Amino acid sequence: MQKNIKTFLGFITIICLFTSCFLKKVEPKTCAMIMEKSVNSYDISDEAAERIFGQLEEVISQRPDLRVIDRTKFETVKNELAFQQSDWSNKEKTAEIGKALNADMICFVTIYKDAYKVEFLNVNTVQKRTYNGKISVNFITKSVTAKGLKGLKKLNIKGL
């Protein structure tokens, strides 16, 4: 009986050692999040846009493949580098800020009147992946909710 237990424990130990050699631990990518309010989103208040951004930020920050950095760091670096407004229309120039933050990715969140767009931009390759979702507005309570968060949580960004 003891021989069987020792054999079993030895077998389990060998399996654990063998599989740990082949399992790669994937380090999460560092991501800076930026909120962009669409020029055409005049019907959504700044407060509602901030609530939607917060809901999206919560989902993205819980992803095991991403490590979201503090938004205020982005603003500080942006001001230090003195980027002009025209630079924001060019995602490649924006990637320079990501590199200055030591971020692997920048996550642009654009909020529209009834929808949102999340763009993940790899600062090294300038490749991007986009996710679009809807915004629900409760007219009685005036609360806003981002829809499609499960899809955002499962969005594959490994190839970026």
Side-chain angles (χ1 to χ4, degrees), residues 5 20 35 39 55 62 87 93 97 103 106 116 121-122 125 137 150:
I5 293 173
S20 67
M35 178 170 62
V39 186
Q55 292 171 21
Q62 291 176 4
D87 288 329
K93 289 190 179 189
I97 292 179
I106 296 179
Y116 63 88
L121 175 75
N122 183 312
T125 64
V137 180
K150 286 184 182 177

Side-chain angles (χ1 to χ4, degrees), residues 3-34:
K3 185 176 181 182
N4 289 341
I5 293 173
K6 286 182 181 179
T7 304
F8 178 73
L9 291 176
F11 181 68
I12 294 295
T13 303
I14 290 171
I15 289 175
C16 289
L17 290 173
F18 184 73
T19 56
S20 67
C21 292
F22 294 103
L23 294 177
K24 254 189 186 177
K25 184 178 179 186
V26 178
E27 286 294 320
K29 292 185 177 187
T30 304
C31 180
M33 291 189 65
I34 304 167

Side-chain angles (χ1 to χ4, degrees), residues 52 55-56 111-117 131-137 144-149:
I52 293 295
Q55 292 171 21
L56 298 172
I111 300 178
Y112 303 96
K113 178 174 90 172
D114 56 357
Y116 63 88
K117 176 174 67 173
Y131 182 83
N132 294 297
K134 299 280 185 195
I135 295 174
S136 170
V137 180
V144 292
T145 307
K147 298 290 184 183
L149 296 177

Side-chain angles (χ1 to χ4, degrees), residues 120-155:
F120 292 95
L121 175 75
N122 183 312
V123 299
N124 297 312
T125 64
V126 197
Q127 291 179 312
K128 72 176 181 175
R129 179 104 2 108
T130 303
Y131 182 83
N132 294 297
K134 299 280 185 195
I135 295 174
S136 170
V137 180
N138 184 320
F139 293 107
I140 296 170
T141 63
K142 303 291 184 199
S143 64
V144 292
T145 307
K147 298 290 184 183
L149 296 177
K150 286 184 182 177
L152 179 59
K153 193 173 191 175
K154 294 178 181 179
L155 181 68

Side-chain angles (χ1 to χ4, degrees), residues 32-135:
M33 291 189 65
I34 304 167
M35 178 170 62
E36 297 179 324
K37 193 173 171 189
S38 169
V39 186
N40 302 328
S41 63
Y42 54 88
D43 289 340
I44 191 165
S45 68
D46 289 342
E47 182 181 316
E50 191 66 42
R51 271 191 252 134
I52 293 295
F53 183 84
Q55 292 171 21
L56 298 172
E57 186 176 40
E58 181 179 347
V59 168
I60 291 170
S61 66
Q62 291 176 4
R63 290 179 57 127
D65 58 342
L66 292 174
R67 181 176 43 244
V68 177
I69 61 175
D70 184 9
R71 248 195 301 175
T72 57
K73 290 182 182 178
F74 179 85
E75 290 300 321
T76 302
V77 170
K78 181 182 90 169
N79 292 336
E80 285 176 15
L81 296 176
F83 273 80
Q84 297 175 359
Q85 187 64 28
S86 63
D87 288 329
W88 291 109
S89 63
N90 184 338
K91 301 289 188 213
E92 290 180 19
K93 289 190 179 189
T94 305
E96 292 177 32
I97 292 179
K99 288 178 184 177
L101 286 166
N102 290 324
D104 303 307
M105 306 188 99
I106 296 179
C107 177
F108 294 96
V109 177
T110 308
I111 300 178
Y112 303 96
K113 178 174 90 172
D114 56 357
Y116 63 88
K117 176 174 67 173
V118 179
E119 292 177 287
F120 292 95
L121 175 75
N122 183 312
V123 299
N124 297 312
T125 64
V126 197
Q127 291 179 312
K128 72 176 181 175
R129 179 104 2 108
T130 303
Y131 182 83
N132 294 297
K134 299 280 185 195
I135 295 174

